[in-house]
Amino acid sequence: MSISRSAYLLPRLLFIHTSGQVLSRTRISRIMAMSASEGDVYVGTTERGLTQELQFPVPWGNIAGKAWGDPLGRPVLGLHGYLDNANTFDTLAPLLPKDLYFVSLDLSGHGHSSHFPLGMTYKYENYLMDVHRVVQGRFSFIVWLLVFLHQKLTLLLEQLQDMIMETVSNVIDRKDIKSYFVFMLILCSFSALAWKKFSFIAHSLGGSIAIMYSAVFPASVERLTLLDISGPFYHPLEGTVERLADSVHRKLHVEKTSQLPPHVYSREVALNKLLQGNEWVTRKSGAVLLERGTREVEGGLVYTRDLNLKNLGFFSLTPEQAEELVKGVKCPVLMLSATERLAPPEYDRERSQMFLPLFKANSSQFTELQIEGNHHVHLNNPERVAPHISAFFTPDTPTQPQTESKL
């Protein structure tokens, strides 16, 4: 049997028990989650199966993420909002179609992802690069190998290899199995997710990044789901000088503050502080975000997000640049807008009047729906959002109402 054929079959063979019995996905998930949770990596189990922690090496550290579903399923990338993290989709992911492989990222400076080096500034173009590195990026073998060893995945691979050799030795030659693992090591060392085409489910800031990526790399994006975001963030030309001066002062102030020892909070105080800054998040949802947005230290918890995120770039897009990006989105778009909007009504009205006609005119299909709830309705009440996303990912059952398609 060839290496390429082994590479196709063996991921499926991982779902065979040592007795040779094919297991249900629920039971597989429990077995894999139990074995994985013995380490120091958070692993959760949902209806859709194993929730797996992921890390992608980048020049300044790692971009972290978590995944639901079968890696051989339809690829979907989830991007969270400003100061949130990959857990923002924890309640929604189990309700999505079972054939999706859903990867939710922590953007740089958020959740479990590395912070930028001190002195660097978080910008939209940096996040665009984050996505591209994860989806199609290339990394050196040495960098990957160091991260790989650090995460103790060598031991895991040995265990998997032993398990497979014991269960399928009568089906596949042992040399082919060893060749497969060598092949996978080489493959992983040179690529990230290696998705040629994928879809987005993105909230707020993440939606702005997803729009940008969809415009810059239109051939790579199959579908775009936007959660409570009508277009890229922008500022008018007026006030550029004043905003730049303010950004410089705030940047220097935050740099000094970020070098101080972090505040340590009890879990209760940490959750209350998170809720004070996110009034649209329920207490239950806040606990979900807190789980990934903090780490345990002696005496309590510290927030993991980078304080430098308080100064998100010196310059923003102009309205004209934002319009050009929306014009560049060619894939089908589903826009789910909360009835209780985050921004002032006049600002929302201006953005909708600017962007919605452009989406309708340039995307192959555009659907805009109002969802009862606030800015975090996807986390607070995922059952209101999931049916529309599921329909969007099922071509035979289009979301209603729907605008006329250009196709």
Side-chain angles (χ1 to χ4, degrees):
M1 183 177 290
S2 67
I3 293 177
S4 61
R5 181 61 177 165
S6 301
Y8 176 78
L9 285 178
L10 284 172
R12 288 167 170 78
L13 294 175
L14 293 177
F15 295 109
I16 302 179
H17 193 261
T18 53
S19 66
Q21 177 186 2
V22 178
L23 302 178
S24 68
R25 288 197 177 268
T26 302
R27 193 173 168 201
I28 292 163
S29 302
R30 289 172 183 166
I31 292 172
M32 296 181 72
M34 284 190 292
S35 61
S37 61
E38 293 172 358
D40 57 359
V41 177
Y42 166 74
V43 178
T45 306
T46 70
E47 301 172 12
R48 296 189 65 231
L50 178 69
T51 301
Q52 181 185 13
E53 282 290 335
L54 303 172
Q55 284 202 345
F56 306 95
V58 291
W60 60 93
N62 290 287
I63 294 175
K66 56 194 301 186
W68 289 264
D70 186 345
L72 299 176
R74 290 188 287 167
V76 180
L77 192 69
L79 300 180
H80 61 78
Y82 179 57
L83 299 184
D84 288 347
N85 54 61
N87 277 15
T88 194
F89 297 110
D90 269 19
T91 59
L92 176 63
L95 306 180
L96 297 178
K98 301 299 186 287
D99 66 335
L100 301 184
Y101 180 51
F102 183 55
V103 175
S104 177
L105 291 185
D106 290 321
L107 295 170
S108 291
H110 299 76
H112 293 173
S113 289
S114 300
H115 298 181
F116 278 178
L118 192 63
M120 298 295 291
T121 301
Y122 293 92
K123 306 174 183 177
Y124 287 102
E125 53 267 36
N126 296 136
Y127 288 133
L128 178 70
M129 285 297 299
D130 276 5
V131 173
H132 202 58
R133 289 178 194 274
V134 167
V135 174
Q136 298 181 353
R138 303 281 175 178
F139 307 105
S140 71
F141 178 78
I142 297 300
V143 171
W144 175 84
L145 186 59
L146 289 173
V147 175
F148 184 75
L149 292 174
H150 176 68
Q151 296 176 324
K152 302 178 182 178
L153 289 180
T154 301
L155 179 60
L156 177 60
L157 275 181
E158 290 175 356
Q159 293 172 344
L160 290 176
Q161 183 175 355
D162 290 340
M163 181 188 73
I164 292 172
M165 286 185 174
E166 290 174 3
T167 57
V168 299
S169 58
N170 294 329
V171 181
I172 301 175
D173 188 81
R174 293 174 69 91
K175 292 181 180 179
D176 282 319
I177 297 175
K178 291 181 179 179
S179 297
Y180 167 76
F181 278 99
V182 172
F183 170 77
M184 290 303 295
L185 285 173
I186 295 173
L187 178 64
C188 291
S189 69
F190 286 102
S191 66
L193 289 173
W195 289 346
K196 291 184 178 180
K197 202 172 184 69
F198 66 100
S199 298
F200 279 111
I201 297 177
H203 173 237
S204 197
L205 168 68
S208 191
I209 298 164
I211 292 170
M212 185 180 294
Y213 193 94
S214 300
V216 176
F217 303 104
S220 298
V221 182
E222 186 172 4
R223 291 176 181 272
L224 173 61
T225 302
L226 300 173
L227 303 176
D228 209 36
I229 177 76
S230 58
F233 296 123
Y234 66 86
H235 281 107
L237 284 174
E238 296 79 9
T240 297
V241 174
E242 292 79 8
R243 286 194 299 272
L244 182 56
D246 180 62
S247 294
V248 171
H249 293 309
R250 285 191 292 112
K251 173 66 175 174
L252 294 176
H253 174 72
V254 171
E255 281 186 1
K256 291 180 181 178
T257 305
S258 63
Q259 296 180 67
L260 299 174
H263 291 288
V264 180
Y265 304 101
S266 68
R267 186 171 299 276
E268 184 73 12
V269 172
L271 178 56
N272 288 336
K273 286 185 67 66
L274 185 150
L275 295 174
Q276 288 172 9
N278 299 270
E279 59 184 25
W280 46 87
V281 173
T282 65
R283 191 168 190 84
K284 183 177 179 181
S285 296
V288 173
L289 294 175
L290 187 73
E291 181 181 42
R292 198 173 181 89
T294 56
R295 60 182 173 86
E296 290 189 9
V297 297
E298 185 177 352
L301 301 175
V302 295
Y303 290 110
T304 60
R305 66 194 183 208
D306 192 347
L307 290 177
N308 286 287
L309 287 166
K310 293 180 179 179
N311 197 33
L312 193 59
F314 284 10
F315 287 100
S316 64
L317 297 171
T318 65
E320 293 78 13
Q321 289 173 322
E323 287 179 330
E324 283 300 305
L325 288 172
V326 173
K327 290 178 183 177
V329 176
K330 305 303 180 185
C331 65
V333 177
L334 172 63
M335 183 181 293
L336 301 178
S337 303
T339 54
E340 302 171 36
R341 304 305 296 271
L342 178 65
E346 59 275 10
Y347 181 71
D348 272 334
R349 196 158 40 245
E350 175 188 313
R351 289 171 56 81
S352 295
Q353 292 173 353
M354 176 187 298
F355 294 131
L356 266 59
L358 295 178
F359 275 121
K360 292 177 182 178
N362 293 279
S363 63
S364 59
Q365 173 186 311
F366 179 73
T367 305
E368 197 266 340
L369 297 171
Q370 296 288 316
I371 305 298
E372 186 68 30
N374 62 28
H375 188 56
H376 276 72
V377 64
H378 70 285
L379 177 59
N380 297 332
N381 305 102
E383 71 283 353
R384 301 177 187 175
V385 173
H388 302 293
I389 297 178
S390 297
F392 183 57
F393 278 91
T394 307
D396 294 337
T397 56
T399 303
Q400 298 293 336
Q402 182 173 315
T403 61
E404 182 180 356
S405 172
K406 293 173 59 184
L407 296 178

